Amino acid sequence: MTSVAVVGTGAVGSMALWRLAARGIPATGFDTYAPGHDRGASGGETRIFRTAYKEGPQYVPLLHEARALWTELEQAAGTRLLTPVGGVTVGPRDHPAVDAVLAAARAHDLPVEVLTGKDAAERVPEHPLRDGEVMVADRDAGYLRPEPAVVAAAATAERAGATIRRYTPVEQVREDATGVTVVTGDGEQRFTHAVIAPGPWAAHLLPGLPITVKAITSTWFPRRDETLFAPGRCPIAIRVGEPAYSCFPSVDGAGVKVNLHVPWREIGSPADLARSVPAEYVRQVAEAVTATLPGLRPDPVRVATYADAFTPDGHGLLGGQGRVVVAAAFSGHGFKLAPVFGDIVADLVETGTTGRAIAHLAPNRPLRRSP
Ligand SMILES: Cc1cc2nc3c(=O)[nH]c(=O)nc-3n(C[C@H](O)[C@H](O)[C@H](O)COP(=O)(O)OP(=O)(O)OC[C@H]3O[C@@H](n4cnc5c(N)ncnc54)[C@H](O)[C@@H]3O)c2cc1C
C-alpha cells in the first residue's frame, strides 16, 4: 500500500499533504519547525496572486487551477486566504515585463485592461503614473495570507488523515528497490514514496542540483492618507523599470509592504539570514517610495528578510524520479501556485505522471549554474 513521506511542511509540502490526504493516500509530513513558521520562504504577511503572468503563458492554466484550489481550501478551512482586490503592473509602455503581461493575457484571453491618465489616477490613486507609463490591470489578482494558508493546508490535511511530525528535521532520504527510508534524530521510518519540499533548505537535501538561496527583504511604510491602500479595495501592484518593486495594501493597518526588486543577495542557507539590513538598502527603498508612492511616508516602520531557493532559469523543480518526487526552488514566485503544485505531487505519487503541462519545471531539464 502506498505511503508517502513529505519532507518540509511549508507552502508546497503542506499543500502536497492536503492533496494526498484528500485522495485517501496515507502521508506523513516532517518539518524542522511546524507549519506556518516564518523562517523559510513563506513568512511576511502577504503574497501576490496574479494570472496575467510575466514569467510565461505556460503558467496560466496552472494559475487557473491554483485559484480554484485556493477557494476549495478556504471552504475546507473556513477562512479567507485570498483577497481578490485585483492587481496592476505599472511601468514604461515599452518595458519587456509590460509586454510579457500583455502577451500572457492575449495567449489565454484574460480580462486585462491598459489604463493611462485620468482613468488610472481615479481607479488606483495609490500608484500615480509618470510620463510614458501605463498601468495594466489584472482583475484575477489579489493577495494571499501565507502563514494562515500554510496552517490551513496542514490542518485540513491532518483532518483528512495525514500525520505531521513537527520539530523533526530529516537528516537523509534513502531510496532502494522497494521504498524509501527517512532518517531523523528519532530513527528511521519506511515509506513507499518521498516528496522533497524543503524550500530554501533545498541545497542540503538535493545536492547536485544548481540551486542557490537568496535573501529577499520586505519593508513596511506608514500611510500619509488613511483612505489609501485600503485592504479590501487597493490592488496589489508590481512596478517595473526603475525603481522596481511589489506593493501591497495595508493589511493590518500599520504599514504598506514594499518589496524592492534589486538583485537579491545570495546566502549559504536560511540559517545565515541576518536580522539587520544594510542602511544602504533601506535608503534605496526609501528613495523608491519618495519617487513613486506619494501616499506613503518614506521611512519604514518594519523591515524583515526571508529566504527562497532559486534555479538559474527562474522556474522551479517539480517532477518524479523513481519513488522520490522533487518539489523545490520555486524561485521567488511559487506561493500562489502551491496548491496546484501539491495536487501535481499527488498525481506523480499516485500514477507516476501528471496530465498538467509542467515540462518547464522538469528537474532533469538542462540547467546550468549561474556564473
Ligand atoms: C520575501 C518573499 C516574497 C515572495 N513573494 C511572492 C509572491 O508575492 N507571490 C508568490 O507566488 N511567491 C512569492 N514568493 C515565493 C514563495 O513564497 C515561495 O516560492 C514559497 O513560499 C516556497 O514554498 P516552499 O514550500 O518551497 O518553502 P517553505 O515554505 O520555506 O517550506 C519549506 C519547509 O521545509 C522545512 N524543511 C527544510 N528542510 C527540512 C528538513 N531537512 N527536514 C524537515 N523539514 C525541513 C522548513 O522548515 C520549511 O517549513 C516570495 C518569497 C519570498 C521569500
Side-chain angles (χ1 to χ4, degrees):
M1 187 187 175
T2 304
S3 61
V4 189
V6 177
V7 182
T9 61
V12 177
S14 68
M15 297 291 172
L17 272 182
W18 168 45
R19 300 316 298 160
L20 287 161
R23 297 183 191 200
I25 299 172
T28 301
F30 292 82
D31 207 289
T32 308
Y33 303 108
H37 74 81
D38 70 348
R39 277 145 284 181
S42 300
E45 190 178 272
T46 43
R47 290 289 183 274
I48 289 176
F49 183 92
R50 58 199 156 86
T51 46
Y53 216 54
K54 63 181 165 48
E55 290 78 357
Q58 69 274 33
Y59 283 97
V60 176
L62 297 175
L63 288 159
H64 286 314
E65 285 204 69
R67 171 120 200 185
L69 285 166
W70 281 114
T71 305
E72 192 177 324
L73 181 58
E74 286 180 324
Q75 284 163 359
T79 186
R80 161 68 70 85
L81 302 170
L82 171 59
T83 305
V85 282
V88 294
T89 302
V90 177
R93 170 64 195 92
D94 56 357
H95 193 280
V98 170
D99 287 340
V101 169
L102 293 172
R106 262 195 312 275
H108 293 278
D109 204 16
L110 301 176
V112 303
E113 284 176 86
V114 179
L115 304 174
T116 53
K118 201 160 143 273
D119 286 346
E122 280 176 9
R123 288 261 290 273
V124 192
E126 289 84 359
H127 295 282
L129 298 182
R130 299 181 296 182
D131 283 352
E133 290 184 340
V134 296
M135 179 179 281
V136 184
D138 172 3
R139 212 187 304 152
D140 288 340
Y143 62 88
L144 292 155
R145 302 303 309 272
E147 297 91 343
V150 175
V151 170
T156 307
E158 285 179 303
R159 271 203 312 282
T163 302
I164 297 181
R165 297 194 52 194
R166 293 165 167 80
Y167 309 106
T168 308
V170 169
E171 291 164 13
Q172 205 187 356
V173 176
R174 286 197 307 264
E175 183 182 2
D176 56 49
T178 57
V180 293
T181 302
V182 173
V183 183
T184 70
D186 298 338
E188 300 191 349
Q189 207 175 333
R190 289 284 290 172
F191 298 89
T192 61
H193 294 77
V195 177
I196 312 293
W201 288 267
H204 174 64
L205 281 175
L206 298 166
L209 287 172
I211 294 172
T212 49
V213 187
K214 294 183 188 175
I216 306 177
T217 296
S218 300
T219 33
W220 283 258
F221 295 85
R223 290 175 287 178
R224 288 184 199 280
D225 176 349
E226 298 278 313
T227 65
L228 297 178
F229 298 96
R233 184 202 53 76
C234 174
I236 59 90
I238 295 180
R239 177 171 266 284
V240 298
E242 187 51 48
Y245 53 75
S246 54
C247 181
F248 295 77
S250 179
V251 172
D252 67 358
V256 168
K257 186 171 94 170
V258 176
N259 284 353
L260 192 64
H261 294 172
V262 286
W264 289 313
R265 195 165 35 93
E266 245 183 73
I267 54 173
S269 121
D272 301 333
L273 274 184
R275 178 165 154 71
S276 67
V277 171
E280 171 55 25
Y281 176 86
V282 182
R283 189 184 59 74
Q284 216 180 339
V285 64
E287 279 175 8
V289 168
T290 303
T292 58
L293 293 166
L296 300 182
R297 297 186 191 282
D299 303 313
V301 290
R302 179 178 164 198
V303 181
T305 303
Y306 306 91
D308 200 4
F310 288 75
T311 62
D313 66 9
H315 302 290
L317 304 173
L318 182 60
Q321 274 168 343
R323 296 173 174 278
V324 177
V325 173
V326 171
F330 292 108
S331 302
H333 61 111
F335 198 88
K336 62 182 84 58
L337 288 151
V340 72
F341 289 158
D343 206 55
I344 292 169
V345 164
D347 284 349
L348 294 170
V349 166
E350 202 173 15
T351 67
T353 183
T354 180
R356 278 71 170 252
I358 55 163
H360 62 295
L361 304 174
N364 60 0
R365 68 186 184 273
L367 275 171
R368 246 178 273 119
R369 274 187 195 282
S370 35

